[in-house]
């Protein structure tokens, strides 16, 4: 899997969650008008900004682990490299096992 596909998969799922939350807020506001269950709208109202914050602040480059920020939401289609480390987005995603090993680790540790 390429880095571009890795990021696109994560942003795609985030956009779906945000769209569902927005629809739930709009539909729930009209359907629950005057109901005692109107407080249930707090759930999508909290999930929507939480998902947006995840996409902006937590979605990071798999190589340098720096967050992409607004680049992940709006600029991925026109970009060819990470804005922080410069890795090409068409390179394969690095294996996660490299970050689990300590440097200078002896075989008996």
């Amino acid at each position: 899997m390429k880095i571009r596909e890795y990021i696109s998969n994560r942003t795609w799922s985030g956009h779906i969650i945000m769209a569902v939350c927005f629809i739930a807020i709009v539909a729930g506001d009209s359907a629950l008008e005057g109901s005692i269950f109107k407080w249930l709208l707090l759930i999508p109202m909290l999930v929507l900004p939480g998902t947006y914050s995840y996409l902006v602040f937590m979605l990071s480059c798999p190589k340098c682990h720096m967050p992409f920020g607004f680049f992940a939401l709006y600029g991925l289609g026109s970009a060819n490299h990470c804005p922080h480390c410069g890795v090409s987005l068409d390179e394969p995603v690095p294996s996660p096992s490299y970050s689990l090993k300590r440097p200078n680790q002896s075989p008996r540790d």
Side-chain angles (χ1 to χ4, degrees):
M1 176 187 295
K2 296 179 182 178
I3 295 175
R4 183 181 310 274
E5 295 167 351
Y6 170 82
I7 298 165
S8 293
N9 290 344
R10 290 178 181 253
T11 57
W12 181 249
S13 61
H15 284 116
I16 290 174
I17 292 170
M18 289 193 307
V20 168
C21 287
F22 180 76
I23 291 169
I25 292 169
V26 171
D29 187 42
S30 62
L32 297 175
E33 188 66 36
S35 174
I36 61 170
F37 296 109
K38 193 149 180 134
W39 62 270
L40 288 173
L41 289 176
L42 286 175
I43 296 170
M45 285 182 179
L46 294 174
V47 171
L48 182 68
T51 305
Y52 184 80
S53 298
Y54 165 76
L55 290 175
V56 172
F57 299 113
M58 301 297 290
L59 187 63
S60 60
C61 174
K63 184 177 180 188
C64 68
H65 304 290
M66 293 292 292
F68 282 112
F70 294 105
F71 171 77
L73 292 175
Y74 307 113
L76 189 60
S78 62
N80 292 323
H81 57 82
C82 172
H84 303 288
C85 67
V87 67
S88 173
L89 296 180
D90 295 321
E91 288 185 20
V93 175
S95 172
S97 62
Y98 73 91
S99 63
L100 299 177
K101 296 179 182 175
R102 295 183 305 212
N104 304 328
Q105 184 177 7
S106 67
R108 288 188 263 185
D109 283 347

